[in-house]
Amino acid sequence: MMEADGITKRILHVGTGELPDFMDGTKATFHYRTMRSNEERTVIDDSRSRGKPMELIIGKKFKLPVWEAIVVSMRQGEVAEFLCDTKHVLVYPMVSKSLRNIAVGKDPLEGQRHCCGIAQLHEHHSLGHCDLDELQKDPQPLIFLIEMLKVEEPGSYRQEAWAMTDEEKLEAVPLIHEEGNQLYKEGKVKEACKRYHDAIACLKNLQVKEKPGDENWMRLDQMITPLLLNYCQCKMLTEEYYEVIEHCTSIISKYNGNAPL
């Protein structure tokens, strides 16, 4: 049992090796289960049920700082449970919504405005999930069950788009776009679609920080359009027509029938 400021840790399975340095840029890959601290230990989120673990880059100012605080206390292969005071988890509903969006291929910033997490909690009436709305209205301590799968040093892994700085996102977009084009030429349509989606997500993440209609917002919007058309071409081939109609109608409306190609 270990205790810190508002955080109580209980090790369930000891990990292997020495405790990593966790210098800035280190990537921690772990499965997590988030539970209420009630008698039933009601599960809110479980990464295993979504089939993909969480990847956290140390020093990137993740919106839930307590996760960085707890993972840097873990060895690879370790399983531990953390009880975190309410003050550490006030923004969890917003973070959970973003993670749920990512899990189903949506923009993690969907429905968010350019403001801090606390302000978003007050501005939005609903997060679109009943359990998160309830937690938002009644903040309480949460339990995180963490299984540390892998710890990678800076420079030894490919960085996910969501973990990049704004400058890194802008530099990465042409490279991701080209990767998508190459995959499409090789007939790997679903993989190409994923890369186009990743590039679009990078640009939308940047765009949400700009004022709609401003020069930078318009420049990013014009960069999104060809990517979106590539994305729609992939969706056509996988026969997902409703999404194609929705996006293409939006583009035609936006450019009055003169969309840039």
Side-chain angles (χ1 to χ4, degrees):
M1 182 79 74
M2 299 173 59
E3 294 190 11
D5 176 31
I7 303 172
T8 302
K9 175 182 179 180
R10 183 164 65 96
I11 298 175
L12 305 179
H13 178 75
V14 178
T16 59
E18 297 295 323
L19 182 67
D21 291 335
F22 285 107
M23 64 181 72
D24 284 356
T26 299
K27 181 166 79 169
T29 303
F30 56 92
H31 273 300
Y32 67 93
R33 180 184 298 158
T34 305
M35 298 170 282
R36 292 179 179 270
S37 56
N38 55 15
E39 186 176 348
E40 297 79 13
R41 292 164 63 94
T42 305
V43 175
I44 300 173
D45 291 303
D46 189 337
S47 63
R48 284 193 179 280
S49 69
R50 296 170 186 161
K52 184 176 181 181
M54 175 68 186
E55 296 178 348
L56 182 66
I57 309 298
I58 304 302
K60 287 289 187 177
K61 297 182 179 179
F62 186 61
K63 286 187 175 182
L64 191 66
V66 72
W67 268 10
E68 184 167 320
I70 63 181
V71 300
V72 299
S73 74
M74 300 183 70
R75 290 174 170 80
Q76 187 161 302
E78 181 178 328
V79 180
E81 192 172 271
F82 299 85
L83 173 61
C84 301
D85 284 355
T86 304
K87 65 181 179 180
H88 292 302
V89 295
L90 288 172
V91 297
Y92 185 79
M94 286 298 301
V95 171
S96 175
K97 178 183 178 180
S98 292
L99 294 175
R100 292 180 186 188
N101 281 348
I102 291 171
V104 296
K106 292 182 179 180
D107 182 355
L109 294 176
E110 184 177 282
Q112 296 184 27
R113 298 176 187 170
H114 181 44
C115 57
C116 71
I118 296 296
Q120 288 169 353
L121 292 182
H122 292 292
E123 284 195 14
H124 295 281
H125 175 68
S126 174
L127 294 172
H129 302 275
C130 293
D131 58 339
L132 299 183
D133 288 341
E134 184 179 339
L135 186 60
Q136 175 179 303
K137 293 173 184 176
D138 181 25
Q140 56 192 265
L142 295 176
I143 299 169
F144 299 112
L145 177 62
I146 306 291
E147 179 185 357
M148 183 60 67
L149 302 175
K150 185 166 53 174
V151 178
E152 299 171 271
E153 295 181 353
S156 67
Y157 59 88
R158 178 173 182 166
Q159 189 166 233
E160 294 289 338
W162 64 264
M164 297 178 185
T165 64
D166 289 354
E167 292 76 16
E168 289 169 339
K169 287 187 179 76
L170 203 55
E171 291 175 1
V173 166
L175 300 177
I176 299 173
H177 193 173
E178 182 54 37
E179 287 176 10
N181 290 344
Q182 186 59 42
L183 288 166
Y184 185 86
K185 291 176 185 177
E186 294 171 2
K188 300 176 181 177
V189 176
K190 290 186 178 179
E191 292 87 344
C193 190
K194 174 65 166 59
R195 298 311 283 156
Y196 294 140
H197 180 275
D198 289 344
I200 291 168
C202 281
L203 294 172
K204 282 188 173 292
N205 184 283
L206 296 172
Q207 193 181 41
V208 77
K209 301 175 183 180
E210 304 291 343
K211 183 178 179 181
D214 278 1
E215 182 179 350
N216 285 340
W217 190 94
M218 293 297 296
R219 178 173 60 86
L220 292 166
D221 201 54
Q222 290 173 358
M223 293 173 68
I224 289 170
T225 297
L227 283 161
L228 192 54
L229 290 171
N230 290 149
Y231 178 80
C232 287
Q233 179 64 30
C234 292
K235 290 295 183 180
M236 280 282 291
L237 294 176
T238 56
E239 300 182 351
E240 297 175 68
Y241 302 123
Y242 287 109
E243 192 171 353
V244 174
I245 292 170
E246 179 183 356
H247 289 310
C248 289
T249 299
S250 174
I251 292 172
I252 292 170
S253 175
K254 184 188 304 180
Y255 293 101
N256 295 317
N258 296 307
L261 299 177

